[in-house]
Each structure stands twice: as C-alpha cells, then as structure tokens.
Amino acid sequence: MSPNTTLGQQLPVLSEDVSSWKGASVLSVTQMTPGGLALVFEIAHQMRMMVQTQGADTRCQGKLLATVFYEASTRTACSFQAAMMRLGGNYLHVDGEGGNSSAAKKGESLTDTIRCLECYTDVTVLRHYIKGSVGTVIEAATKPVINAGDGVGEHPTQALLDVFTIYDELKLPLSAKATANSKPLTIVLLGDLKHGRTVHSLAKLLAKSHTAGVVLRYCAPDGLELPEEIQEYVAQFDHVLQETVTDLREACQQANILYVTRVQRERFESDEAYQAVKGSYVVDTELMQQVPSDMIVLHPLPRIDEIDPAVDSDPRAAYFREMENGMYVRMALLALVLGKV
Amino acid sequence: MSPNTTLGQQLPVLSEDVSSWKGASVLSVTQMTPGGLALVFEIAHQMRMMVQTQGADTRCQGKLLATVFYEASTRTACSFQAAMMRLGGNYLHVDGEGGNSSAAKKGESLTDTIRCLECYTDVTVLRHYIKGSVGTVIEAATKPVINAGDGVGEHPTQALLDVFTIYDELKLPLSAKATANSKPLTIVLLGDLKHGRTVHSLAKLLAKSHTAGVVLRYCAPDGLELPEEIQEYVAQFDHVLQETVTDLREACQQANILYVTRVQRERFESDEAYQAVKGSYVVDTELMQQVPSDMIVLHPLPRIDEIDPAVDSDPRAAYFREMENGMYVRMALLALVLGKV
Amino acid sequence: MSPNTTLGQQLPVLSEDVSSWKGASVLSVTQMTPGGLALVFEIAHQMRMMVQTQGADTRCQGKLLATVFYEASTRTACSFQAAMMRLGGNYLHVDGEGGNSSAAKKGESLTDTIRCLECYTDVTVLRHYIKGSVGTVIEAATKPVINAGDGVGEHPTQALLDVFTIYDELKLPLSAKATANSKPLTIVLLGDLKHGRTVHSLAKLLAKSHTAGVVLRYCAPDGLELPEEIQEYVAQFDHVLQETVTDLREACQQANILYVTRVQRERFESDEAYQAVKGSYVVDTELMQQVPSDMIVLHPLPRIDEIDPAVDSDPRAAYFREMENGMYVRMALLALVLGKV
C-alpha cells in the first residue's frame, strides 16, 4: 500500500468551512480549496492585527504543541513555537537529529514516536528529511499533524506565507470571492531554481490559485534552471505565462515581485564559475535604483551574499515582514486545526 | 557515609495523607505506603478526567519545573514537561548529556548543578546514568526532586504508571481500602527479563502491593531470564506464585495481562540464535486470536519487532493508553509534591 | 565603521527614569547611571519579595523571550528563562552551538539570525563567544537585546547580580540617594584574577559605583594576578584602595566580602605548581573559623575544589543566594526593557 495512493483518500479537503479544518492534518497545500486558502489568509491577517495590538491572546490556553524536527530548522521550529505561545498555548520540542531523542536510537519507528507524543499533546508539527514520511505518520496519527517539511517533498507553510506576503505587500484582497477580481502578477524567481524547494512550491501554488493571471520569469545561472516537471505542472494552467530571462535588470522590468533565493557556491563546478555569475545575481542598492519603484523583494532566508544588507532599509525589502508573516500563517493553521477560530 | 544508609533515614514516607507529600522528594516506590500508592492512583484518575474534559487547569500557575536529563529519554522528559504544562505550570530543560550543559564540562558536581537550578525553579525531575546519584542529590536538595531513572537503580514513575494501567484496564478499584478486596491477577512477563529495569520494578511493586494474589509467569529466551535476586525478593510474599513458561501461547492461558518488553538482538551470541527465538516471542494478530479475549497487552515502549503494528487496533492493545497514563501519574506526583492537590 | 565608536552613540543611557529603559538594549553596565543601577537593584528586591510570597505574577503575559546561546551556559540561560516565566511570559531557546541552529550552518550572519527571531519574539538574550558581537547585533536590532556575555567582553548581568548580592548581604541601602551615605567596603578577590571575566567586571563596577570607599584586596597565585589594565582603570578613582595580599587568612582580616573564583588546574605549568598553591587558596571550615564572623563568601559558580561543600551550611556562605539573586536581577532587566515595571 503506497502512502501516495492512500493519502489522497484519507487527507481531508480543507475549505472555507472552518469545521473542515478542526482535527485535520495538513500535509500539503493541495488539500486546500481556493476558499480554504483564502480562509487561512484572512485568519493570518486577523492574527497580525491581534499580535500588533495586544501581543497574544489565550484562545489555546492549556493546549500543547509538540515540535518534532529530524532536520534542523531554527526559523520554522521557532515560528511554530512562538505561534503557539501567542495563542496562549505551550509546546515541547523533540530534536530528532540527536539532542534529546532517545527513541530513534533504540530503533523505534517514526510513527510510533509520534503516536507516543500524541499521548501528551494536542497537535504535532513534524519535519523529517525523508519525502513521504510525514504523510505516513498522518495515516496512523489520532490527532492533527502539520507538515513542516518532508525532505524534497512538501513544505506547505512556507508556500502559504510566501503567497500571503505577496498578496499583503501588493494590497491584493485576501478573501476567496475577491481573488477572482484580483489583478495579474509578474513575479521574478531568481537564483538556484533547481534545488530550491521553496521556489517549486511557490510556483505551483501561484499557478494554481492566482487565476487572474501570472507571469513567472525565471532568472537562474546555467545549470540551475527550474526543473522540467515543475515547468510542465505550471504549463497546464492557461492563465500562467512562463519566461526565461538571463539578465536580472531586464527580468525586473514591470515586475511586481522579485523572489530571491540563495545561489549556493557548492553547486558550481569551480569557484571561477561561481564568481562569474555571482555578481549578476546580487541584489544591491544599485539594482534597486533600476527596478520598479513598487517592486517588492522577498527571500525565504537565510541569505548569504545574494542581497546586500544595505538593501534592508529599502521599504521594498519585505523579507523580514515575510518572516513575521510566517508566524501569523502558522497561528492561523494551529487555531484552525485545534478548532479555536 | 553511604548514600543508601542515609537515604532510608532522610526520605519521607509517602502515605494517604496528602501533607506527607508536600515538599517531599520521590526517589523510590518503596517510600510509598499502600495508602500512598492508592492516593497517587486516585489523583492520576482525577487528572485524566480533568484533561479529557478541559485539557488543562491552572493549579500550578507560576510554578516552574526543571527537567534535568543526563541520559536521553524522549518519553519520560516529554511526559513530565506536558504534565507540568497541563497543571498550568511551565518548565525549563537541561540536557546534561551535551547540549546546553556547560556546568558538567567545567567539572561541577551533580549536586551543585541541581542546587543552582533549584534557585530558579520549584521542583526538579532528574535522570542520571549512575545508580544512587539521584539519592545523593536529594540529600542536599532544598526543594522536591523526583527520580526519573538512575541507571540500573529505580525508575519509580514507570512502575507506578504500569500498575496504574493494569488496575485501570482490568477495572480494579484504585483506592487503598478497596485494593484488599481486589481479585487475584495473572501476569505474563515476556521478553528480555534479565536487562529490563521496567520489568524488575513492576514485579517487585506488584508482589508487594497486590496482596489479593499474583501469578507471575516468566517467558524469556534462554539466558535472558529474570535475575535471581528479583525472584528471591518476590518469593518472600506468600500471595505471589512464580512460574516459568517457555511457550508464549501456553503462558497466556488464563492470563489477565501480557507485559511485553524488547528482545534486543545484540544480547544474542549469534544472529541465528536471535532469529531462532524471535518468532516465538512476537505478538501478532494470530497470537491475539489464541489468547483470552480480555487479556490486556502492555509494553513500556519503544518497541521494535516484538509487537506487530497490526495489533495496535485490537482493543486489548493498551500500550498507547499506558503511555498516556504516564502523564496522568506524573501530574499526580507533581501536584502532590507542590502541595496543589 | 568600528562597532565601538558607533555603540557609544547609539546605546541609550539607562537612568533612574523607567522610561529610559523601555525598548532599550543592555550591552554594558557602563550604560547605567548610579540612579539606573539603583533602580535595577530596587526592582530586583521587589521581584524577590514577589517570588517569595506568590511565586510569579502575570505582568509579561503574552510576551516572548528568545534565549540565543552560541556558548553553553546552563546557569545564565536557565535563570533568564525562569525570570521570564516568573513574570508570566514564555521563551524559546536557540542553541547556536549546534543543537537546533540550522541558520549558522547555512552561513547566515549573526545579525540576520537575531533579526529573524525578533519577528517572533519581544526581547532577545544573546550570548556569543566573540567580543563585540552582541554590540553589532544591537545596532541592527529593532527590539531590545540583552547581553548575556560576549566572549572576553562584557557580562553585565553577572556584575549586577554580584553587586546586588554584596549590598543585600551587607544590608546596605539599595537606593541611589542612600548609596552616597553607604559605608566603605573591603572586598577580597581570590583565585585566578587573570582570566576571570567576572572578577574584572565586578572590580570595575564597584570602583565606579561605590563612592563611599572600597578596598580591593587581590589574592592570586603567581602568574594569575589581575591584569594591569583593570588595575589602572580602578586606580583612577580616588575612593578605591588596591592591595595585594598573598596569604588568604591575612587578606580576610577586616574584610566584608570574600569573592572566590576557580583556580583552574590547566592554567599551571605543572601539576606540582598547582598542588603547591591549591591548598592555600581553598576555603574550608578551618578558614571560616579564622575570618570575621560577618564576612560573606561569594562565588560566581561553578566551583570545583576551591570551596569545601562543608562550608555550604555556614550562614556566611552566600553563593547559592547569589545564584537566586541572578534571577531577580534578570527579572528586573526584562521587566524594565519590556516596559512592565
């Protein structure tokens, strides 16, 4: 019995009806209807308002989250933990990589580990390095599990926070009904488009959900282009146009969003090859003077050299707001699956 | 001055009087009178009712627990942490093995480390790999310390949760007065009975406390039998009958409880020897059809191959309920020593 | 642009006016006016009263602290975490050394890591092994950062808790106005005065702040004397007298405080050299009979052999009270920078 076959049958569809979320596990954004997506965004927006005015509330008081990470991720783990605490709940953390996890050393299955932790907590956030592993756990789990990344598989909260940030920064309506009236978007995807899981999820989610029209402009060094299968998935939507543009300045013309990812030195055959392309893919204050005055710059972070810190103070640099939105989106998901909306 | 001599004098007797628990340290189940044991079970039962109806309460709001683990234990650490949070308190964790513990590296004594942490918190849960170490710390401590396992020494909360689960699953009365009227039990102890600390504590506690009569049936591979000293301890109680049965199906006849432990491959001289016995000690759906229809299956977990996951959905499979009971028993202990009953 | 030049300009002066603290970062005790120092002590004193009577309060409910440690420190991290929880807030921990920190492995700058965590939390406590690093982070941070030690640089909370404990144990007035009427102090600094950052900070802070007069008596093995630059800094204050006394008993004559630090074996050229001096620098019950009956013994802990545990029960042994004061001083700082006084 392959997990993939089974999963489709067992995973709930997550719609604009809040009751479809209560007690549900979240493996993938593909579970979400357009209305379900809009619901997450609306609640994330409310969470931001709440945090900015009062810091936290108590709707999840007495609720416990287990964050279980078999692959390190400071940002994702901390933002889920902070999200739970800002809802009035609390968490315990299991570092599956080494730290405090004795279970894995003793040969326990991942499913058993999570089923044990479920005995103590109300919801689990799980990251694992093996694609499909989180889905397998969800099949056996008795309480909600949220996928925080399963290897080269899905990382649904990252895609959600990216699209939320795009809509929010461009002041597009967040509600499902309004999205149909939304305006077309031009988005530049810059950097290592081959290995960046974040970029793959974002391209697919935008293509599927932004029916008002999307231009995706790919700007990647030789050999680091977006994989064929992602391009083919995107190509099935008539409202999406895909373009490949080598020059960054040219790519940014009329763009609404510049989404930057790391170009990792170790992906190049030689340091010369890296140095040769590096300069043309760096976002600095000079570039920012040549691009549209309302073009928003995003980055999933961490960054190395691809965005000069001097750009941070530019109002168009939205990557730290993007970080913050990650907490609001995760607050929305936790509140939804715990039935606390 | 040997710790053992001293400990007997300094450790409080824990009785059915809640005031005997307040501020007390818990090193061993031998501190508990039959009434004290019944008190823990009654409060654990109340805790389960509370968690199942309202999730948590606030009786320990503002109270802090330090979980200090010099030996990894996902389950024990997490269940104490969850227990404290479900009582409205909070915790901080010190990973003595490596992680965030600088003190041990600098040569500080265990006693000093705990005395420092006591300056910040209200109660300490301590696991250490050296037998007797927790007792030594308790002598110097100024606030309650709960033993979460000291090497091959005691692991009192495991024994408590096992006996609580046996009584609960068999619907035996939990109160001290009623226990005398309780019915005799037949319990199969299966697997590596030589190295399993859990099994040793369980056998001793049952023999001492279940005065209505106990049959203990040992079912272990050659060379992994229950140690002589445990058998001798048990033999002093007239109401206990010890039996050795090689065949698992035969052992389960008229049994109330099948308590399974891991048979660890590395304990065998050869892989052939392991494979030879392995099959006869696996609990699978076939076996479950041949045993009493009300025989409860327990396992301290983690399990490897000794229980087939297909058994999990059998109503007699109680090992995940056993896990959950661990939290309720620990909530009871924390509430008792903090004077919050 | 050197951090040091910039820092002086950007770091706020922290005075007796509570509004000067709200939202401020704390890099160094040099930011604090005498009135600011007295304010910390007064609030720390109130915090102790509160904790001793009610355990905790809820003034920081919904507030989140990030403790970020690139160098292990059980005591400092735990006391900040406990401090935040006793104020009703909560925390998340990032172990920069290894554990759960993926960001550093990916080459992210320390500043970026902290700016990301700031998106989730309200205040950061940062320890890093590089001198000046915390100051650099503070320049870029948008929320308060408290220095928990930056290599051989500053460790302001340790110096604060030491001086608070000295005043408290000697029953000197804590308020700024009263300090001028305070009495002169004689303080013996014992042990490795060369490498002990704690001793350096304490000497400087006392020299600067205790204007009623201070005698500093240095008692160190050959080669482990207080560095010249610290002695020169202290020498600029007319109300300070510096003395070097080789014999510990002699040094303690008329002393108010004996401040002990570790003499680390590895600092000596040979084990013989270590053994030769070791005995003369050990505080034991015999020594305690020969020193003033009101001389208080302090130690930043952890200790190895330099104080015999038999001294712990002497009322003059104040090092565990010193530990506890660390939590109260940190509660005061957290409450001040979060505007919750």
Side-chain angles (χ1 to χ4, degrees), chain C residues 160-173:
Chain C
L160 287 173
L161 77 89
D162 283 339
V163 175
F164 175 73
T165 303
I166 290 171
Y167 280 39
D168 186 62
E169 291 287 331
L170 299 179
K171 298 185 177 53
L172 301 183

Side-chain angles (χ1 to χ4, degrees), chain A residues 163-326:
Chain A
V163 175
F164 175 73
T165 303
I166 290 171
Y167 280 39
D168 186 62
E169 291 288 331
L170 300 180
K171 297 183 178 53
L172 300 183
L174 296 174
S175 76
K177 281 173 203 136
T179 306
N181 302 318
S182 203
K183 64 176 188 182
L185 295 178
T186 297
I187 296 179
V188 181
L189 300 176
L190 172 69
D192 177 355
L193 307 186
K194 184 175 177 188
H195 302 95
R197 173 175 64 179
T198 309
V199 166
H200 303 174
S201 302
L202 177 60
K204 287 161 73 178
L205 181 55
L206 273 174
K208 185 173 168 242
S209 67
H210 196 76
T211 51
V214 187
V215 178
L216 293 177
R217 276 197 200 135
Y218 307 133
C219 188
D222 277 355
L224 297 178
E225 290 88 1
L226 198 72
E228 283 293 323
E229 66 266 29
I230 308 289
Q231 297 203 36
E232 282 165 19
Y233 175 90
V234 168
Q236 64 178 311
F237 298 98
D238 287 341
H239 56 273
V240 185
L241 185 64
Q242 301 183 79
E243 298 175 354
T244 298
V245 181
T246 311
D247 183 72
L248 176 55
R249 276 146 197 80
E250 197 185 320
C252 290
Q253 285 178 17
Q254 276 92 44
N256 304 104
I257 299 285
L258 171 59
Y259 190 95
V260 189
T261 62
R262 274 182 297 156
V263 178
Q264 292 158 292
R265 189 181 292 233
E266 63 271 28
R267 303 292 189 192
F268 289 83
E269 286 186 7
S270 69
D271 197 55
E272 290 78 46
Y274 170 70
Q275 296 298 341
V277 300
K278 189 190 145 190
S280 46
Y281 294 102
V282 166
V283 178
D284 53 20
T285 51
E286 195 189 324
L287 177 82
M288 291 305 286
Q289 287 168 1
Q290 300 167 359
V291 301
S293 63
D294 57 357
M295 188 198 74
I296 298 299
V297 182
L298 299 180
H299 192 301
L301 302 181
R303 66 172 157 186
I304 314 300
D305 298 318
E306 60 278 2
I307 302 180
D308 185 325
V311 174
D312 295 2
S313 55
D314 190 306
R316 294 168 292 178
Y319 29 90
F320 287 114
R321 294 193 291 274
E322 188 184 0
M323 277 299 100
E324 195 173 323
N325 288 339

Side-chain angles (χ1 to χ4, degrees), chain B residues 46-335:
Chain B
Q46 292 165 17
M47 291 299 177
R48 182 168 55 196
M49 305 268 281
M50 185 276 281
V51 168
Q52 288 177 352
T53 52
Q54 66 191 74
D57 70 15
T58 58
R59 72 178 74 197
C60 290
Q61 194 170 20
K63 293 289 181 188
L64 301 185
L65 162 68
T67 52
V68 189
F69 279 66
Y70 285 82
E71 203 181 46
S73 176
T74 310
R75 244 166 290 269
T76 308
C78 288
S79 75
F80 267 112
Q81 291 162 357
M84 191 62 181
M85 293 191 286
R86 292 212 183 271
L87 295 169
N90 214 332
Y91 73 93
L92 51 84
H93 182 73
V94 175
D95 177 4
E97 271 202 307
N100 60 349
S101 178
S102 62
K105 291 176 200 156
K106 292 178 185 164
E108 187 177 49
S109 74
L110 177 62
T111 297
D112 267 19
T113 299
I114 302 302
R115 286 211 58 192
C116 283
L117 289 169
E118 280 189 326
C119 296
Y120 310 141
T121 58
D122 301 295
V123 54
T124 301
V125 165
L126 175 60
R127 168 170 288 202
H128 200 279
Y129 46 85
I130 298 175
K131 181 179 177 177
S133 57
V134 178
T136 305
V137 166
I138 287 174
E139 288 181 72
T142 62
K143 292 180 183 173
V145 176
I146 298 176
N147 184 3
D150 59 331
V152 295
E154 299 265 351
H155 186 7
T157 57
Q158 180 68 45
L160 287 174
L161 78 89
D162 283 338
V163 176
F164 174 72
T165 303
I166 290 171
Y167 279 39
D168 186 61
E169 291 288 330
L170 300 180
K171 297 185 179 53
L172 300 183
L174 296 173
S175 74
K177 281 171 203 137
T179 305
N181 303 318
S182 204
K183 64 177 187 182
L185 294 177
T186 297
I187 296 179
V188 182
L189 300 176
L190 173 68
D192 178 356
L193 307 185
K194 183 175 177 188
H195 303 94
R197 173 174 64 180
T198 309
V199 166
H200 304 174
S201 302
L202 177 60
K204 287 160 74 176
L205 182 55
L206 272 175
K208 185 174 167 241
S209 67
H210 196 76
T211 51
V214 187
V215 178
L216 292 177
R217 277 197 200 133
Y218 307 133
C219 188
D222 277 355
L224 297 178
E225 290 87 1
L226 198 72
E228 283 293 324
E229 65 267 29
I230 309 288
Q231 297 202 37
E232 282 164 19
Y233 175 90
V234 168
Q236 64 180 310
F237 298 98
D238 288 340
H239 57 273
V240 185
L241 185 65
Q242 301 184 79
E243 300 175 352
T244 298
V245 182
T246 311
D247 182 72
L248 176 55
R249 274 146 199 81
E250 197 186 319
C252 290
Q253 286 178 18
Q254 276 92 42
N256 303 105
I257 299 284
L258 171 59
Y259 191 95
V260 190
T261 63
R262 274 182 297 155
V263 178
Q264 291 158 295
R265 190 182 291 234
E266 64 270 28
R267 303 293 189 190
F268 288 83
E269 285 186 9
S270 69
D271 197 54
E272 290 78 46
Y274 170 69
Q275 296 298 341
V277 298
K278 190 190 145 189
S280 47
Y281 294 102
V282 165
V283 179
D284 53 19
T285 52
E286 196 190 322
L287 177 82
M288 292 304 286
Q289 287 168 0
Q290 300 167 358
V291 301
S293 64
D294 57 356
M295 188 197 75
I296 297 299
V297 182
L298 299 180
H299 191 302
L301 302 181
R303 66 173 158 186
I304 314 301
D305 298 319
E306 59 278 2
I307 301 179
D308 185 327
V311 174
D312 295 2
S313 56
D314 189 307
R316 294 168 292 179
Y319 28 90
F320 288 114
R321 294 193 291 274
E322 188 183 359
M323 278 299 100
E324 196 174 322
N325 288 338
M327 181 171 71
Y328 303 131
V329 165
R330 285 161 184 136
M331 289 174 76
L333 291 179
L334 288 169

